[in-house]
Amino acid sequence: MKKSKLIGKISMLFGVLLLTGGLLLFGYNYRLEYLAGKVSDEALQKVKEQIVQNRYADTHKLEWSGTRYFGVLAIPKLNLELPIQSEWSYPKLKKTPCIYTGSIQDGGLVILAHNYRKHFGKINTLSIGDVVKLTDATGQAYTYLVEEVFTMEATDVEEMANNKYDLTLFTCTYGGKARVTVRCVLQNKADRYPIIEDKN
């Protein structure tokens, strides 16, 4: 009887520890997501201002707070607008989406981000034909249409980077065992500054 009570107490203690650990992990992830959203919002405003200013400048660099940016990504269906960093690293991903590989000019542009709600957390809800827009440092905008939405194994690194598509967006699934992948094709190169508000 005493043994069964001891086992019961140990099981209860183990359950409390698991619950506490889960709550701490949730709080940690929530804080990371909140900070990422805040940094993204600040960087977006600065990057958009610089894109407008670049039409009058000799250089077309986008830089804020010591970080280089490529431009702005917009997904109207998700009401999402994000600054995109020019290169990626794990610390950079905690702030905004980043270019993983490729370029607009050469094709095969791949952009990755965390699955935060304010980053790529909802790209799995996109459908074929949905619009994705990119505006570069010069204000040139490119319109893409979604052609595929699927899940890829985390180990398929080469397939992610080497593909026939003009643009790929990807993020981790919850748990990190796979990658939500959105493949897009270029529809057209639009007029300059169509999604960047010029207040001058």
Side-chain angles (χ1 to χ4, degrees):
M1 192 69 175
K2 289 182 179 180
K3 187 176 180 181
S4 62
K5 284 184 177 180
L6 179 62
I7 292 173
K9 287 181 179 179
I10 291 173
S11 297
M12 186 180 296
L13 178 61
F14 185 67
V16 169
L17 289 173
L18 283 177
L19 180 61
T20 302
L23 289 172
L24 288 172
L25 182 60
F26 174 81
Y28 175 74
N29 288 334
Y30 182 84
R31 176 172 170 74
L32 286 180
E33 188 169 337
Y34 169 78
L35 292 174
K38 188 174 180 181
V39 170
S40 289
D41 290 344
E42 290 179 25
L44 177 64
Q45 189 59 40
K46 298 296 182 181
V47 167
K48 289 172 73 172
E49 288 172 5
Q50 287 183 48
I51 289 175
V52 172
Q53 292 168 4
N54 276 348
R55 74 170 77 179
Y56 308 110
D58 294 330
T59 62
H60 295 131
K61 291 182 180 180
L62 293 180
E63 190 169 334
W64 178 70
S65 193
T67 300
R68 290 190 305 114
Y69 288 87
F70 161 80
V72 174
L73 170 76
I75 307 177
K77 180 180 179 179
L78 303 181
N79 194 27
L80 198 63
E81 196 174 19
L82 292 162
I84 306 299
Q85 292 183 67
S86 297
E87 53 188 28
W88 86 278
S89 70
Y90 288 111
K92 290 178 186 292
L93 278 177
K94 290 182 179 179
K95 299 177 180 178
T96 73
C98 304
I99 289 181
Y100 181 68
T101 188
S103 68
I104 288 179
Q105 291 74 21
D106 300 329
L109 180 63
V110 180
I111 298 174
L112 77 158
H114 277 307
N115 57 16
Y116 303 146
R117 285 170 295 177
K118 287 194 172 184
H119 286 183
F120 282 3
K122 296 181 181 179
I123 63 171
N124 64 307
T125 65
L126 292 173
S127 304
I128 294 172
D130 285 338
V131 172
V132 177
K133 293 185 177 183
L134 272 177
T135 301
D136 66 18
T138 69
Q140 182 67 62
Y142 301 80
T143 301
Y144 300 83
L145 296 181
V146 173
E147 190 157 298
E148 281 189 285
V149 180
F150 61 99
T151 301
M152 183 181 291
E153 293 298 321
T155 54
D156 293 338
V157 177
E158 188 173 341
E159 185 181 348
M160 180 65 74
N162 300 321
N163 64 84
K164 64 180 182 178
Y165 292 93
D166 299 306
L167 174 66
T168 297
L169 311 177
F170 79 94
T171 189
C172 294
T173 56
Y174 291 105
K177 293 184 178 180
R179 305 285 182 262
V180 176
T181 307
V182 178
R183 303 288 200 190
C184 307
V185 292
L186 182 65
Q187 182 186 37
N188 71 308
K189 193 162 92 170
D191 294 333
R192 292 172 71 104
Y193 320 110
I195 66 168
I196 303 299
E197 184 179 355
D198 185 357
K199 296 181 180 179
N200 292 333

